[in-house]
Amino acid sequence: AGRKLHFEFPQGGGEYLATLGPAISRDAGRTWRWLNADGRRHEPANAFDYAFAADENETRFAMSIPYSQKDWDAFVAPYRVRQDVTFGTLCKSRSGKRDVEFVKVPCRGRAEWLFVLTARHHACETTGNPPMEGALALALGDSPEARWLREKADSYFVPFMDKDGVEEGDQGKNRRPYDHNRDYAKGLYPSVRALKELIVRESAGKRIVFIALHSPHVRSLPPGGAEHDQAFTFGADDPELNARWNVFREQWKVAQRGGQLVYDGRHDIQARQGYWNVMKKNWDAGYLSSDPWVRTLPNAYLATCCEFGYSRCGGVNSVPAMRELGGNMFKAAVRTANAALRQQ
């Protein structure tokens, strides 16, 4: 308390801090703010100073706003009394210690669509969960999109694909021999096998909308690469699927206009650009990610990955702002499926 300290990570180890510096909590992790809460870029990416208040005896610092089981449980608690929501278990985690859960919003009539959202294929990527909260809230709301969804679709939300990694504090990405999101060809992880089985089983006679929620690189792709602390999404090789993806992008822009954060499509990755070189290396090594696997199914309508930057998606990230961004993303997905809603 009352001191100013300098924190520094080793040089040459990459970028340890997001664009706005560390996330900070003074109330045991209940609420978080960014060091540069005014939106200024923090430099350098491996060090920061912090002046502790005279009464500040416990402070937490994090690369991103943390999100684990307790946060999800707190968010979904009010929905557990609703009759139109199903809470289920996809499978046991690989360790056998934990349930990999899902929330299902079932169709009231005959389902013609299957919507599936996943998060935390990579355990460290916490920014996928508040957007999933926003998407679930949208699905259970009273907007035209929500009403259409519950009349026409079964919707599944899987918050923690790598449940063990999330709860044990793993980084998770590039885990050896490979991570959860490289497992859609080989089937090493129980949650991946179970999700594939669910999608194939539940999509019989339906069209599929699948969105994997991720976090990108912490601030930019080195050396001197594009800024990644943004919201962006990935196109598809298949021309028809890519055309629908472009509809989705346009609808997301419209839905998010005037929101707390920004999605404007400027950072999106077109097919065969950027990350596609990395993905080709994965495919050549026999690895396959979630959304490319869904695109191999004959009834895939829209399958993409949406990335949500750690600290600054065109504004200062907060849990409420990320919920809004995710809700508008999901609204755009519903509008993509139903052309009539695009005019509303």
Side-chain angles (χ1 to χ4, degrees), residues 171-243:
Q171 193 269 352
K173 188 167 186 177
N174 296 325
R175 179 187 281 113
R176 296 177 182 174
Y178 52 87
D179 62 47
H180 283 65
N181 204 43
R182 306 292 181 268
D183 190 36
Y184 281 76
K186 299 188 176 184
L188 174 65
Y189 299 105
S191 61
V192 172
R193 297 196 302 269
L195 183 69
K196 290 176 68 176
E197 291 168 2
L198 181 146
I199 290 174
V200 171
R201 181 182 68 249
E202 294 296 316
S203 68
K206 306 169 190 172
R207 287 167 287 185
I208 304 168
V209 173
F210 176 87
I211 304 177
L213 309 180
H214 285 263
S215 309
H217 193 74
V218 60
R219 51 165 64 189
S220 59
L221 282 178
E227 184 67 62
H228 260 219
D229 208 3
Q230 303 287 347
F232 58 96
T233 180
F234 290 80
D237 275 337
D238 178 271
E240 189 173 1
L241 289 170
N242 202 62

Side-chain angles (χ1 to χ4, degrees), residues 5 17 32 62 82 95 121 170 190 212 214 220 231 253 312 338:
L5 298 181
L17 302 173
W32 294 83
R82 289 183 56 150
S95 70
H121 272 93
D170 287 355
H214 285 263
S220 59
K253 291 179 195 177
R312 189 175 67 174
N338 184 358

Side-chain angles (χ1 to χ4, degrees), residues 23-341:
I24 303 167
S25 177
R26 290 187 56 183
D27 56 6
R30 288 187 291 275
T31 61
W32 294 83
R33 66 174 179 86
W34 295 98
L35 179 65
N36 286 6
D38 59 1
R40 289 178 297 111
R41 185 180 182 91
H42 173 82
E43 296 288 358
N46 73 316
F48 65 95
D49 297 319
Y50 186 78
F52 294 83
D55 62 346
E56 193 170 356
N57 293 302
E58 178 186 314
T59 303
R60 300 185 184 188
F61 301 101
M63 189 203 81
S64 64
I65 296 175
Y67 193 104
S68 59
Q69 185 73 52
K70 64 179 178 59
D71 301 291
W72 179 254
D73 287 344
F75 178 77
V76 300
Y79 296 123
R80 290 189 178 275
V81 300
R82 289 183 56 150
Q83 300 300 308
D84 58 348
V85 184
T86 301
F87 291 84
T89 299
L90 188 66
C91 63
K92 284 288 184 182
S93 64
R94 195 180 185 202
S95 70
K97 297 178 182 177
R98 302 173 177 93
D99 290 337
V100 179
E101 70 267 56
F102 65 79
V103 176
K104 178 183 179 182
V105 180
C107 182
R108 292 173 176 172
R110 179 182 173 275
E112 301 172 14
W113 294 82
L114 176 68
F115 281 68
V116 178
L117 267 65
T118 65
R120 308 298 279 279
H121 272 93
H122 300 134
C124 67
E125 297 182 0
T126 62
T127 60
N129 288 114
M132 181 175 283
E133 291 182 350
L136 179 58
L138 184 282
L140 292 170
D142 195 38
S143 66
E145 290 81 9
R147 293 193 295 272
W148 179 88
L149 193 72
R150 295 197 298 270
E151 292 295 333
K152 297 293 184 181
D154 288 323
S155 301
Y156 285 83
F157 303 82
V158 185
F160 306 113
M161 285 297 293
D162 180 7
K163 173 60 79 65
D164 288 336
V166 168
E167 290 302 295
E168 293 170 12
D170 287 355
Q171 193 269 352
K173 188 167 186 177
N174 296 325
R175 179 187 281 113
R176 296 177 182 174
Y178 52 87
D179 62 47
H180 283 65
N181 204 43
R182 306 292 181 268
D183 190 36
Y184 281 76
K186 299 188 176 184
L188 174 65
Y189 299 105
S191 61
V192 172
R193 297 196 302 269
L195 183 69
K196 290 176 68 176
E197 291 168 2
L198 181 146
I199 290 174
V200 171
R201 181 182 68 249
E202 294 296 316
S203 68
K206 306 169 190 172
R207 287 167 287 185
I208 304 168
V209 173
F210 176 87
I211 304 177
L213 309 180
H214 285 263
S215 309
H217 193 74
V218 60
R219 51 165 64 189
S220 59
L221 282 178
E227 184 67 62
H228 260 219
D229 208 3
Q230 303 287 347
F232 58 96
T233 180
F234 290 80
D237 275 337
D238 178 271
E240 189 173 1
L241 289 170
N242 202 62
R244 294 179 193 136
W245 174 71
N246 277 309
V247 172
F248 166 68
R249 296 172 66 219
E250 293 303 316
Q251 291 303 311
W252 192 4
K253 291 179 195 177
V254 171
Q256 187 59 27
R257 196 170 293 152
Q260 300 174 68
L261 300 175
V262 174
Y263 169 77
D264 57 15
R266 290 190 301 117
H267 303 279
D268 290 345
I269 308 294
Q270 298 286 340
R272 303 184 183 279
Q273 294 180 6
Y275 269 173
W276 253 252
N277 296 326
V278 177
M279 292 174 69
K280 186 177 186 307
K281 291 180 182 178
N282 288 330
W283 295 335
D284 290 346
Y287 306 143
L288 184 63
S289 298
S290 56
D291 49 305
W293 173 77
V294 173
R295 291 197 291 271
T296 68
L297 302 177
N299 48 343
Y301 186 83
L302 173 68
T304 189
C305 165
C306 291
E307 305 268 2
F308 297 89
Y310 280 105
S311 69
R312 189 175 67 174
C313 290
V316 176
N317 287 4
S318 65
V319 170
M322 296 294 280
R323 284 176 183 158
E324 178 190 61
L325 186 59
N328 286 329
M329 173 209 69
F330 199 52
K331 180 183 290 186
V334 174
R335 290 177 176 177
T336 303
N338 184 358
L341 289 172

